[in-house]
Amino acid sequence: MMLGLNGLSRRWVGLLALYIAILSLLTPAATVKHDNFKTCDQSGFCKRNRAYADTAISNSKWESPYSLDQASLKFDNGILTGVVNKKIINTDESVRLPLTVAFYESGTARVTIDEEKRQKGQIELRHGSKASKQRYNEAEKWAIVGGTTVSKGAATSQDTETGTTKVVYGPGSKFEAVIRHAPFGVDFKRDGETQIKFNDRGLLNVEHWRQKVEKPKEEKREGEEEKKEGDEAVVAESDKSAAEDESTWWEESFGGNTDSKPRGPEAVALDVSFPGYQHVYGVAEHTGPLSLKETRGGEGKHSDPYRLHNSDVFEYEMDSPMTLYGSIPFMQAQKKDSTVGVFWLNAAETWIDITKTSTSANPLSLGIGSATTTQAHWISEAGVLDMFVFLGPKPQDVIGAYTDLTGYTQLPQQFAIAYHQCRWNYVTDEDVRDVDRKFDKHNIPYDVIWLDIEYTDGKKYFTWDPMTFPDPLGMNEQLDEHERKLVAIIDPHIKNEGNYPVNEELKSKDLAVHNKDSNIYEGWCWPGSSTWIDCFNPKARDWWKGLFRYDKFKGTMKNVWIWNDMNEPSVFNGPETTMPKDNIHHGGWEHRDIHNVNGLTLVNATYDALLARDKDEDKHHVRPFILTRSFYSGSQRMGAMWTGDNQADWPRLAESIPMVLSMGISGFPFAGADVGGFFGNPSKELLTRWYQTGAFYPFFRGHAHIDTRRREPYLAGDPYKAIIAQALRLRYSLLPAWYTAFHEASVSGAPILRPNYYMHPGDEKGFGIDDQFYLGSYGLLAKPVTQEGQQGQDIYLADKEKYYDYFDYWTYEGPGTVSVAAPLETIPLLMQGGHIIPRRDRPRRSSGLMRYDPFTLVIVLGNSGDAEGMLYLDDGESFDFQDGAFIHRRFLYTSATSSLVSEDVASTKASGKKAQDYLKQMESVRVEKIIVIGAPAAWKGMSDVEVSEELGGGESAAATRRVPLDWHEKDEGRAAWAVVRDPGVRVGGGWKIAFA
Ligand SMILES: *[C@@H]1O[C@H](CO)[C@@H](O)[C@H](O)[C@H]1NC(C)=O
């Protein structure tokens, strides 16, 4: 190794050292295997609640021990309160559980159950530190941002005969909650029909506060605390309920780690039935099909529940209910023409069992088949029971109500939805500059280049390796020449080393997460020994803000953005590769309580830091971009996610589609998988197909593990390089459609990639389809090729409508399955009749350079002969759109009048200065081409069309002129099409084109 060092440049010495350092670091992560993660059976509370379910279901005499105290009920201003009593079996004792059922203006209902004995106070831990005794009830602080205005219209009535309380609520009073008193349960109805039932199977379970009873035979461990709250009923011995396995009540071990459980058992569980619903979707993030599988064993079913416990899962498994990096405890149920949903707001480890039962047909109603009921059993380790209910009836009603609560996707900067080039690692600043130049040399567009952990000086975030990145500013300035950006990784673990100010401040200011003994928690991660910022502490968030200032994080400038990785958090030597559950966060909460929302808090702090960075500079301040690996409900407000460390093989490519679709219907559509696959080396065919698929991920990034060969698109060779470049160009050309779809998501929560059930909720045959999708509201239907050697693709068309091949206008007619040729250079992509698609067709190096490019409008005429499409446009970077600085148009083609009009749909009139300035800037941006696919035969022989354009004085002051029309005759199976050449109308203005 020492040979010939003299002849090597400094750079190569640095690389060599880097390589050796990396090899040594790979070891800890590489030990993570399936066995490192718990099954339900190895997770005490999951096992207890499954056993509880088995007892309840197998025993026909089983009665849920929960009942509502009728006398306690109060209904005031849309909120019902009362007390649910849990009878302790074989005793006269019962536990009081305060109940709140809130009815919101939006039509959402919310059922919350707390526990009186845990509502106040703290418990003493060893060494005098304290933890909150309360059930965690602050998940909403992070997850919920709106939608909780209480409904004034909700009205209640009691029915003493049936022992129920009814509340009529929701838009048009179409919803009803029927609260059953004994046993306690709630049925939710829409238009008189039951859609959702709580505790129908009697699996509601709130593990109540109890005294720890020392068993005489057990030896008391050193330092173990003595519980001495004298007023507590000693119930442990007498609680002979079904969940009597006490072995994991007070302590639990797994993989050599022991979890002390100072609060004892405290799980909450509830069964939710969806009568008549065959499919459920959601509870991201998991691998496997969009339509969730049953989980209690049997052929084609999982044997473990879907698990939500954010974790760094090394080489994760395909088609598995195992947990992954993020959690969205939101589930939708689908039957013909009806969608409903629930959202379980709980940040602790959660498991969800799914089962389906078929009720046989009523013998009297001949001809009516059996109905499937899907049942979900939600089980969380701690926290209050807090469930939101959405009654639909459309998929968007449910997703819209959920995102009304948890917030809409941030409207990203335009560069963020263009192509990102990443690798672990671009090894020097010169390497970055070189890749940047090569993209240009090969005429391949890209917007962002990324740096993984190796840019730092010894894994110390906010520093640069002086050997390999001596000139970060020079590098960033080169990128900026073509409006390109840099994304640098910043993780939540801080190298625990002296002489590193970030670590020293974190410790001296006491802003780090504590261990159960109240000392600063130390664990092992990329830098070796590390500490972790506690973003639950407002002071820690404030401090974090300061670290991103341009004068603190030297070498960064305005085009540098952030990647928050490892924020589950990943701890190489922690239980299940994360933090011990008995660690203590700000506010006295155990890590157990907040685990799943932990990753969100880091991204929240980073978001605020990036905002502050620009505000401090008092410049034109722009929308932060952050990529996160870990997430929770609400993370969509702050940036993008990706599906973590996938592999370069074909099944992973196929699997990425349902994973990204699942994120989309879960309110977090800004999602993608690593293009090319993270681990391993893709064949050139796989890499090419992956780019063709990735061109349809809302978040589109190529990424690769440090041990893989370089695979930048320009290295792919013929014919792959050109085909990959085509896929990238397709993405860039459709950016106006993508950006408009993101805008729609940012105001309604609508998915960007839309599965069949979402588009066609009446078409039961399509409910399980998850390998094809529509892009936004544009009728663009894609089914990327995900198998080796595949030359054709069968696409399912749900509706009676014309579809055209995107590239050659070959015509297909739904409903049914059609076959599309798909040789390597082809992406199976169809256009559904009835839409107008905006594009920008001029090839550029980056999306920033397309700002003033002209538009092409593609009018796709279907069976009705009419078509419609939206375009949303703003400066693509700032918050000026909030002051009206945007263009929002609806293009409408009407067959009855053979005319295309552009209408303003801006919600506010652009009167402010920012709005006026923007419109002025865009004044010269024109429509350069209009393509009409499926053009009427009557146009044959027409040589021009009439254009009338507003001159600024409204319709009356329109000027008219004629521009040429080119006619293209039908050809074999291809549609007739026509092109209006250079109509020259302003994209931001009002105009009309008459095809006559
Ligand atoms: C981040 O959290 C703070 C404090 O809870 C909140 O005020 C802010 O709106 C959050 N930021 C985003 C982008 O949600």
Side-chain angles (χ1 to χ4, degrees):
M1 284 296 203
M2 299 311 287
L3 261 182
L5 262 191
N6 284 347
L8 287 176
S9 71
R10 217 170 68 125
R11 175 179 147 206
W12 288 108
V13 180
L15 281 184
L16 202 61
L18 198 73
Y19 188 67
I20 293 165
I22 287 154
L23 280 184
S24 66
L25 274 177
L26 275 174
T27 328
T31 60
V32 183
K33 296 268 160 53
H34 185 104
D35 294 351
N36 290 33
F37 295 92
K38 291 179 185 176
T39 59
C40 177
D41 217 36
Q42 292 164 319
S43 174
F45 74 95
C46 186
K47 186 179 181 185
R48 291 196 297 274
N49 277 283
R50 260 195 167 184
Y52 191 95
D54 289 341
T55 308
I57 290 160
S58 63
N59 179 353
S60 60
K61 293 216 182 70
W62 169 262
E63 193 165 282
S64 168
Y66 295 79
S67 62
L68 186 59
D69 173 2
Q70 195 166 318
S72 71
L73 279 179
K74 283 197 194 76
F75 186 78
D76 188 20
N77 250 328
I79 297 183
L80 183 84
T81 53
V83 173
V84 171
N85 286 312
K86 171 186 180 181
K87 188 177 181 308
I88 299 183
I89 294 179
N90 298 334
T91 72
D92 293 331
E93 324 245 5
S94 64
V95 173
R96 287 167 61 82
L97 306 171
L99 165 77
T100 308
V101 189
F103 299 91
Y104 298 138
E105 210 59 90
S106 58
T108 297
R110 177 185 191 177
V111 177
T112 312
I113 297 177
D114 201 344
E115 183 184 350
E116 209 167 75
K117 281 253 165 71
R118 290 194 208 249
Q119 279 181 325
K120 282 197 272 307
Q122 293 185 313
I123 45 167
E124 297 251 327
L125 301 176
R126 304 193 301 175
H127 307 291
S129 63
K130 289 190 165 117
S132 179
K133 181 181 162 188
Q134 259 177 290
R135 288 182 172 273
Y136 184 62
N137 57 6
E138 293 185 358
E140 72 180 295
K141 259 176 64 172
W142 300 102
I144 305 289
V145 291
T148 54
T149 310
V150 171
S151 168
K152 297 279 185 292
T156 179
S157 63
Q158 286 221 5
D159 188 336
T160 32
E161 226 159 80
T162 57
T164 60
T165 300
K166 295 181 180 170
V167 179
V168 173
Y169 69 105
S173 298
K174 284 184 175 165
F175 302 161
E176 189 183 3
V178 179
I179 296 148
R180 287 176 274 121
H181 297 176
F184 169 73
V186 191
D187 294 354
F188 292 92
K189 298 182 173 181
R190 189 186 66 227
D191 295 324
E193 196 185 317
T194 301
Q195 313 290 339
I196 296 178
K197 290 163 97 83
F198 282 5
N199 203 29
D200 190 39
R201 293 185 291 157
L203 312 189
L204 169 64
N205 189 22
V206 179
E207 292 182 336
H208 57 272
W209 174 261
R210 54 197 108 200
Q211 284 293 98
K212 184 172 182 181
V213 177
E214 297 300 343
K215 301 259 164 62
K217 58 179 186 305
E218 263 178 16
E219 220 171 279
K220 216 169 115 219
R221 287 193 3 241
E222 246 271 286
E224 196 161 49
E225 66 155 326
E226 201 81 58
K227 297 264 183 354
K228 46 181 174 313
E229 284 183 51
D231 60 340
E232 301 289 347
V234 178
V235 291
E237 289 292 19
S238 52
D239 184 6
K240 296 288 181 233
S241 68
E244 62 186 359
D245 175 9
E246 300 177 21
S247 61
T248 52
W249 275 8
W250 303 100
E251 194 175 274
E252 183 165 353
S253 293
F254 179 75
N257 290 284
T258 298
D259 174 15
S260 71
K261 298 180 142 187
R263 295 182 309 211
E266 53 179 331
V268 289
L270 178 66
D271 68 271
V272 178
S273 299
F274 300 101
Y277 289 81
Q278 314 94 322
H279 291 268
V280 285
Y281 310 109
V283 298
E285 177 187 27
H286 295 98
T287 54
L290 184 67
S291 175
L292 302 173
K293 292 186 173 182
E294 291 185 66
T295 60
R296 299 242 36 192
E299 201 176 328
K301 300 172 183 174
H302 294 312
S303 53
D304 246 24
Y306 285 93
R307 186 183 192 204
L308 297 174
H309 181 59
N310 299 352
S311 305
D312 181 0
V313 184
F314 180 73
E315 294 188 344
Y316 60 75
E317 298 180 350
M318 304 259 312
D319 192 8
S320 165
M322 259 178 91
T323 192
L324 283 174
Y325 311 93
S327 298
I328 302 186
F330 167 47
M331 177 183 281
Q332 293 168 66
Q334 181 68 30
K335 68 175 184 182
K336 188 171 167 51
D337 293 316
S338 180
T339 315
V340 295
V342 292
F343 168 39
W344 175 260
L345 177 58
N346 189 304
E349 178 184 349
T350 297
W351 300 78
I352 306 122
D353 257 326
I354 294 171
T355 48
K356 299 184 186 187
T357 58
S358 283
T359 50
S360 45
N362 179 343
L364 298 177
S365 55
L366 287 172
I368 297 180
S370 59
T372 299
T373 287
T374 301
Q375 301 155 329
H377 183 200
W378 296 76
I379 307 166
S380 286
E381 184 176 15
V384 294
L385 187 158
D386 201 358
M387 186 71 112
F388 295 74
V389 176
F390 315 105
L391 291 179
K394 295 210 173 68
Q396 182 55 34
D397 296 332
V398 174
I399 298 170
Y402 164 77
T403 46
D404 189 30
L405 291 169
T406 58
Y408 303 124
T409 292
Q410 175 211 26
L411 179 64
Q413 289 200 50
Q414 177 168 270
F415 81 79
I417 64 171
Y419 175 63
H420 301 255
Q421 181 62 47
C422 187
R423 137 162 222 104
W424 178 22
N425 219 97
Y426 289 112
V427 290
T428 63
D429 52 19
E430 185 45 40
D431 189 10
V432 170
R433 286 169 181 259
D434 184 52
V435 171
D436 181 61
R437 284 188 291 261
K438 289 206 168 113
F439 267 91
D440 287 347
K441 184 166 163 245
H442 293 268
N443 277 313
I444 300 175
Y446 90 99
D447 268 56
V448 195
I449 190 160
W450 290 55
L451 294 178
D452 209 316
I453 49 178
E454 311 304 336
Y455 77 89
T456 58
D457 184 8
K459 313 298 181 296
K460 294 190 290 246
Y461 301 111
F462 308 100
T463 69
W464 298 86
D465 186 320
M467 291 268 271
T468 51
F469 285 83
D471 183 21
L473 276 181
M475 169 185 76
N476 293 330
E477 275 158 11
Q478 180 185 317
L479 296 173
D480 192 44
E481 280 167 25
H482 296 133
E483 300 219 24
R484 291 189 178 131
K485 323 289 172 189
L486 182 93
V487 171
I489 202 166
I490 296 280
D491 290 348
H493 50 259
I494 301 298
K495 187 169 189 167
N496 190 17
E497 165 183 293
N499 275 328
Y500 175 32
V502 175
N503 179 50
E504 284 170 352
E505 281 179 32
L506 181 74
K507 288 163 92 170
S508 67
K509 292 176 197 269
D510 195 17
L511 306 175
V513 179
H514 288 186
N515 64 16
K516 66 176 190 294
D517 301 326
S518 224
N519 299 316
I520 289 177
Y521 171 70
E522 287 170 27
W524 194 264
C525 205
W526 293 125
S529 172
S530 303
T531 53
W532 273 261
I533 178 175
D534 182 9
C535 290
F536 291 86
N537 184 345
K539 287 193 183 119
R541 290 208 303 277
D542 248 17
W543 169 76
W544 191 247
K545 238 186 222 180
L547 300 179
F548 290 82
R549 290 170 51 110
Y550 297 117
D551 58 356
K552 281 295 263 309
F553 190 1
K554 292 210 170 67
T556 61
M557 51 183 256
K558 272 182 67 90
N559 64 343
V560 176
W561 301 101
I562 299 299
W563 173 13
N564 283 157
D565 194 10
M566 313 293 278
N567 50 338
E568 295 76 21
S570 176
V571 181
F572 293 155
N573 63 339
E576 299 192 276
T577 329
T578 190
M579 248 176 209
K581 285 178 167 171
D582 47 11
N583 268 7
I584 303 290
H585 289 261
H586 178 77
W589 301 111
E590 278 192 288
H591 187 71
R592 178 189 335 278
D593 298 315
I594 57 81
H595 176 80
N596 281 345
V597 81
N598 181 76
L600 177 150
T601 64
L602 176 78
V603 183
N604 171 283
T606 306
Y607 187 97
D608 284 352
L610 292 173
L611 268 187
R613 172 184 86 161
D614 278 343
K615 268 194 184 142
D616 288 354
E617 297 277 300
D618 197 30
K619 290 206 196 110
H620 174 69
H621 87 270
V622 297
R623 298 168 232 161
F625 172 77
I626 305 163
L627 177 73
T628 180
R629 191 170 71 185
S630 179
F631 55 87
Y632 188 73
S633 298
S635 294
Q636 69 269 14
R637 304 189 302 267
M638 300 156 215
M641 64 72 70
W642 93 109
T643 63
D645 299 345
N646 61 357
Q647 292 181 51
D649 59 42
W650 289 93
R652 299 286 172 159
L653 169 59
E655 184 169 69
S656 71
I657 297 174
M659 288 182 84
V660 171
L661 288 180
S662 179
M663 292 304 297
I665 59 153
S666 303
F668 199 163
F670 198 3
D674 280 342
V675 171
F678 180 65
F679 295 111
N681 295 303
S683 68
K684 288 185 174 180
E685 183 190 349
L686 174 58
L687 185 67
T688 305
R689 289 303 198 186
W690 215 315
Y691 271 96
Q692 293 177 337
T693 305
F696 289 92
Y697 296 152
F699 175 63
F700 183 17
R701 182 183 76 153
H703 187 32
H705 188 271
I706 197 162
D707 289 340
T708 61
R709 289 194 289 276
R710 295 291 280 249
R711 53 165 106 129
E712 287 68 34
Y714 50 77
L715 296 174
D718 289 335
Y720 307 99
K721 181 184 93 174
I723 299 172
I724 292 171
Q726 263 172 26
L728 287 159
R729 292 262 171 242
L730 175 69
R731 173 63 168 232
Y732 276 73
S733 143
L734 284 171
L735 279 177
W738 280 98
Y739 198 62
T740 305
F742 267 92
H743 176 260
E744 192 184 343
S746 77
V747 296
S748 74
I752 289 168
L753 301 188
R754 302 177 179 176
N756 238 76
Y757 91 86
Y758 179 94
M759 297 298 292
H760 307 286
D763 177 39
E764 291 172 283
K765 276 189 267 171
F767 290 171
I769 292 180
D770 58 12
D771 54 0
Q772 61 178 60
F773 49 82
Y774 291 82
L775 165 57
S777 300
Y778 291 105
L780 282 164
L781 173 60
K783 186 174 181 184
V785 171
T786 57
Q787 280 178 44
E788 190 167 18
Q790 196 182 333
Q791 295 290 319
Q793 188 69 294
D794 289 341
I795 304 183
Y796 177 72
L797 306 179
D799 50 342
K800 186 170 167 39
E801 183 53 275
K802 286 202 175 70
Y803 284 77
Y804 305 92
D805 185 278
Y806 183 84
F807 303 97
D808 68 5
Y809 313 153
W810 196 276
T811 311
Y812 302 92
E813 187 87 38
T817 299
V818 300
S819 294
V820 176
L824 187 63
E825 66 277 11
T826 306
I827 306 175
L829 176 60
L830 304 181
M831 298 179 283
Q832 182 191 34
H835 300 277
I836 300 180
I837 304 159
R839 301 198 312 219
R840 276 173 154 167
D841 287 346
R842 300 200 180 177
R844 300 285 181 194
R845 296 170 209 242
S846 75
S847 72
L849 301 174
M850 298 166 77
R851 190 167 292 121
Y852 303 113
D853 276 358
F855 284 79
T856 294
L857 298 179
V858 182
I859 303 179
V860 190
L861 297 181
N863 290 338
S864 77
D866 298 332
E868 186 185 331
M870 306 286 269
L871 173 68
Y872 173 86
L873 203 61
D874 59 24
D875 66 15
E877 57 182 32
S878 78
F879 289 93
D880 290 356
F881 70 93
Q882 291 171 346
D883 299 315
F886 61 86
I887 287 169
H888 201 186
R889 313 293 305 184
R890 176 191 287 122
F891 304 115
L892 213 60
Y893 178 81
T894 313
S895 60
T897 56
S898 297
S899 61
L900 171 69
V901 296
S902 166
E903 298 174 349
D904 195 0
V905 286
S907 44
T908 48
K909 268 277 158 269
S911 51
K913 181 167 172 359
K914 280 179 177 166
Q916 291 301 330
D917 286 354
Y918 177 67
L919 291 181
K920 203 162 190 88
Q921 259 181 48
M922 297 303 287
E923 185 74 40
S924 61
V925 178
R926 306 264 148 182
V927 175
E928 65 175 346
K929 197 192 250 187
I930 296 170
I931 304 172
V932 185
I933 296 158
W939 295 6
K940 196 171 170 177
M942 192 190 293
S943 63
D944 53 16
V945 296
E946 185 185 78
V947 176
S948 21
E949 190 167 12
E950 275 176 38
L951 295 176
E955 283 307 339
S956 57
T960 63
R961 61 178 181 275
R962 295 199 74 86
V963 298
L965 177 92
D966 296 340
W967 171 263
H968 301 264
E969 189 55 55
K970 271 191 192 176
D971 167 25
E972 290 176 62
R974 293 183 189 87
W977 53 291
V979 178
V980 178
R981 272 190 283 134
D982 203 17
V985 289
R986 279 176 296 135
V987 78
W991 43 261
K992 178 174 168 183
I993 295 178
F995 291 80

